[in-house]
Amino acid sequence: MPSIRIVIMCAGALTRVGLQQILARAAPRMEVVGVCSTFAEAEACLRQQHARVLIADDSQPSVNLAKELRRLMHAQPGLVCIVILQRPVASALERLLRIGVRALLHR
C-alpha cells in the first residue's frame, strides 16, 4: 500500500523536527517528504514531491493563513490541510474550515 506523502510547514525548527519525529514513529504509512518554513517553500515542495497532505502552523506573523492555504489548495486540487493554531479564535476557525481545512489542532 502506498505511503501518505506529507509536507510540514512551520516557522519554528523545533516544531518541524518534533512533528517529523512523531509521524515517523507513530504512523509508518506516512512519509514526510518535505519540511519547510515558508508558504513559498511549501508550494514548491508540494509540487516537486507530489505530496497530498500539508501540516502547517500559524507561526508566520505577517501572513494571511487562510488566504495562503486557499491559494495552495486551489493550486493543488485534493490537497489535505491540517493546521496547528497557537491561539485559536472562533472566527479564524470558521474561516479555515470554510475554505476546506480538514483538521485544526490547538498547540
Side-chain angles (χ1 to χ4, degrees):
M1 184 171 278
S3 63
I4 299 168
R5 299 171 66 78
I6 300 170
V7 170
I8 297 171
M9 195 282 310
C10 299
L14 185 60
T15 302
R16 290 191 307 265
V17 171
L19 284 170
Q20 192 171 17
Q21 289 177 351
I22 289 168
L23 290 170
R25 289 192 181 117
R29 280 194 49 233
M30 295 185 187
E31 178 185 6
V32 176
V33 295
V35 179
C36 46
S37 60
T38 68
F39 276 100
E41 292 172 355
E43 183 173 16
C45 193
L46 287 165
R47 194 176 323 108
Q48 292 168 355
Q49 298 296 328
H50 305 289
R52 301 310 310 150
V53 177
L54 173 67
I55 300 175
D57 73 356
D58 64 348
S59 61
Q60 295 190 19
S62 61
V63 172
N64 181 326
L65 183 63
K67 181 179 177 182
E68 288 296 323
L69 289 172
R70 186 181 321 116
R71 187 180 60 75
L72 284 178
M73 288 187 284
H74 181 72
Q76 304 278 331
L79 178 65
V80 172
C81 292
I82 299 168
V83 177
I84 302 167
L85 298 165
Q86 213 165 16
R87 291 175 289 282
V89 177
S91 60
L93 298 174
E94 289 173 15
R95 187 175 26 222
L96 290 169
L97 291 172
R98 197 170 33 250
I99 66 167
V101 169
R102 298 278 183 94
L104 300 165
L105 305 171
H106 183 227
R107 181 184 324 202

